[in-house]
Amino acid sequence: MKTPSDLTPREAVRRYLDRRSTELSESSVRTYRYRLKLWVEWCEDENIERVEDLTGWTFEQFEAFRSGQGIASPTLHGEMETLKGHIEYLERIEAVDDGLADKVHVPDVPDSEMSRDTMLRPEDAEDLIRYYRTHDNVYGTRFHAALELAFHTGARLGALRGIDLRDYHSDEQFVEFVHRPETNTPLKNQRSGERSVSLLSEVCDAIDEFIAHNRPSGHDEFGRSPLFLTYHENRVSKNAFRAWIYRATQPCVAGTCPHNYDRETCDFRRHSTASQCPSSRAPHHVRTGSITWHRDRGFPPEVTAERVNASQEVIEKHYDKASQRERMELRRRPHLGKLEIE
């Protein structure tokens, strides 16, 4: 009878991913699968046939191999962190000796490298949104509605495309984010990602205009009525919604092109090439800018965390892009009066 220690690296990874799939989002499972696929292929190239053959030297060699391929420090950090979690699972099922996971080295990465510096700057977002709100030719378009909702909620791409008409409450001025994996709109943090987020009346006005005049009627393949549909009357895909945001955030929408391209002939104005515009931004960059904007506007950390569905620690480390000087001016200086000695 085959024992846990007889598992091949490939079999062990398959079992691990099967177990984790019940507690992780689909996107997280895909990330884990890709990272561990590299580990399995390396093990097979090195003729490592059973997990009981793994040692600290094995992990050291794998880390050196991946590092030698010139990958970025955060990428190596993520791969080794995932591998460590996998080895902890093997310890739990007694496939390897206790303590083996401690021999997996997860390299430290400076915060400046771990965080993502690219974002839709709050001042740029404000300029774009002011333009959309004051120009009839773009007011209430899909680009306008998508940007308004993305920037004011700080929501992730998957959460935004998963909104149904029933989730948007114009009169009460809020939107619900609901985990519906059975009909292909899961939330990253599953049930814990469900929340209601309040909206300003100006945001609701833009969404109402979109629904009334620019939203195609239709249902998805599950009979649901998405807020955002394509003109083929299907729920917008992630790639399509991403392209909408790229188009919505191009600076030439509200002003002159900073790269001196002619707006009328620029190749980047097309749906398929919008992402190549040097100044357009992806949904994640909008989320990053939104979180920084919330913080700079004085939103308490715990309120921001609940609104965008991220821990305060993650927000501080990965999303909040205000500089030290900006933090002093925008967040701390207004509180100086509390320190006055009467």
Side-chain angles (χ1 to χ4, degrees):
M1 180 178 177
K2 195 169 187 177
T3 65
S5 60
D6 291 327
L7 290 170
T8 67
R10 185 175 294 276
E11 291 170 335
V13 165
R14 186 180 299 119
R15 292 183 66 90
Y16 174 63
L17 293 175
D18 285 344
R19 299 298 176 271
R20 295 305 306 272
S21 64
T22 61
E23 57 191 21
L24 295 173
S25 67
E26 290 182 16
S27 62
S28 294
V29 171
R30 284 195 297 271
T31 299
Y32 280 33
R33 181 176 290 112
Y34 174 74
R35 290 172 175 173
L36 292 173
K37 173 177 176 287
L38 300 173
W39 158 252
V40 167
E41 290 174 349
W42 180 85
C43 285
E44 291 176 346
D45 288 343
E46 296 296 316
N47 297 316
I48 298 172
E49 298 179 352
R50 298 182 302 175
V51 294
E52 72 170 1
D53 297 328
L54 300 176
T55 65
W57 177 238
T58 309
F59 306 137
E60 166 66 22
Q61 286 181 300
F62 176 69
E63 182 183 353
F65 166 73
R66 290 296 289 146
S67 179
Q69 292 186 315
I71 63 175
S73 297
T75 302
L76 182 61
H77 174 94
E79 290 182 7
M80 299 306 295
E81 188 173 50
T82 299
L83 178 58
K84 186 180 184 74
H86 170 54
I87 302 303
E88 288 172 349
Y89 162 76
L90 295 181
E91 286 184 9
R92 182 171 65 80
I93 65 172
E94 300 181 350
V96 299
D97 293 337
D98 286 344
L100 184 62
D102 293 336
K103 297 178 181 180
V104 179
H105 175 246
V106 180
D108 292 330
V109 182
D111 287 346
S112 59
E113 290 188 45
M114 285 295 289
S115 63
R116 303 178 181 184
D117 293 330
T118 303
M119 70 172 174
L120 176 63
R121 298 186 307 168
E123 58 268 32
D124 292 336
E126 291 174 356
D127 287 344
L128 286 165
I129 289 173
R130 287 192 193 99
Y131 186 87
Y132 280 113
R133 290 179 180 177
T134 56
H135 289 74
D136 292 341
N137 62 315
V138 291
Y139 184 73
T141 60
R142 57 182 177 173
F143 305 123
H144 180 200
L147 181 60
E148 285 271 16
L149 203 53
F151 190 68
H152 280 270
T153 65
R156 298 177 180 88
L157 166 60
L160 292 164
R161 71 169 292 270
I163 299 171
D164 288 348
L165 279 180
R166 59 180 162 166
D167 302 325
Y168 169 61
H169 305 272
S170 177
D171 292 341
E172 294 88 355
Q173 298 184 357
F174 73 94
V175 64
E176 295 178 272
F177 295 104
V178 184
H179 179 57
R180 298 184 177 111
E182 68 283 357
T183 49
N184 291 344
T185 58
L187 295 178
K188 178 178 174 60
N189 292 326
Q190 303 181 28
R191 292 295 178 192
S192 62
E194 295 189 334
R195 62 203 186 277
S196 296
V197 178
S198 57
L199 303 171
L200 290 173
S201 59
E202 295 90 342
V203 179
C204 291
D205 289 343
I207 298 172
D208 291 344
E209 177 72 13
F210 165 71
I211 292 172
H213 299 290
N214 293 304
R215 176 189 173 274
S217 61
H219 299 79
D220 65 13
E221 65 270 34
F222 301 102
R224 291 167 54 188
S225 185
L227 175 60
F228 294 113
L229 298 96
T230 67
Y231 289 120
H232 299 294
E233 299 184 1
N234 299 314
R235 183 181 299 275
V236 65
S237 67
K238 287 186 177 181
N239 284 340
F241 193 87
R242 191 177 288 112
W244 290 6
I245 294 296
Y246 277 125
R247 288 281 300 277
T249 57
Q250 290 179 330
C252 61
V253 169
T256 59
C257 174
H259 313 290
N260 296 319
Y261 292 119
D262 183 345
R263 189 179 188 278
E264 300 303 319
T265 59
C266 179
D267 289 339
F268 302 145
R269 294 293 297 165
R270 294 182 307 190
H271 186 81
S272 60
T273 56
S275 64
Q276 298 175 31
C277 170
S279 294
S280 65
R281 293 293 179 261
H284 185 82
H285 304 145
V286 176
R287 173 173 164 84
T288 305
S290 172
I291 292 173
T292 299
W293 180 66
H294 275 73
R295 298 296 308 279
D296 288 347
R297 286 299 184 95
F299 261 65
E302 65 276 11
V303 176
T304 302
E306 182 177 355
R307 189 172 170 86
V308 305
N309 190 229
S311 69
Q312 295 182 45
E313 180 182 2
V314 167
I315 287 174
E316 291 285 353
K317 189 172 185 179
H318 295 287
Y319 290 106
D320 189 358
K321 298 304 177 184
S323 66
Q324 292 296 326
R325 177 65 180 270
E326 288 170 335
R327 287 191 177 98
M328 178 189 73
E329 295 292 346
L330 294 170
R331 301 178 190 161
R332 301 170 186 167
R333 191 173 294 281
H335 298 287
L336 280 177
K338 300 175 184 177
L339 304 179
E340 290 180 354
I341 300 175
E342 298 295 336

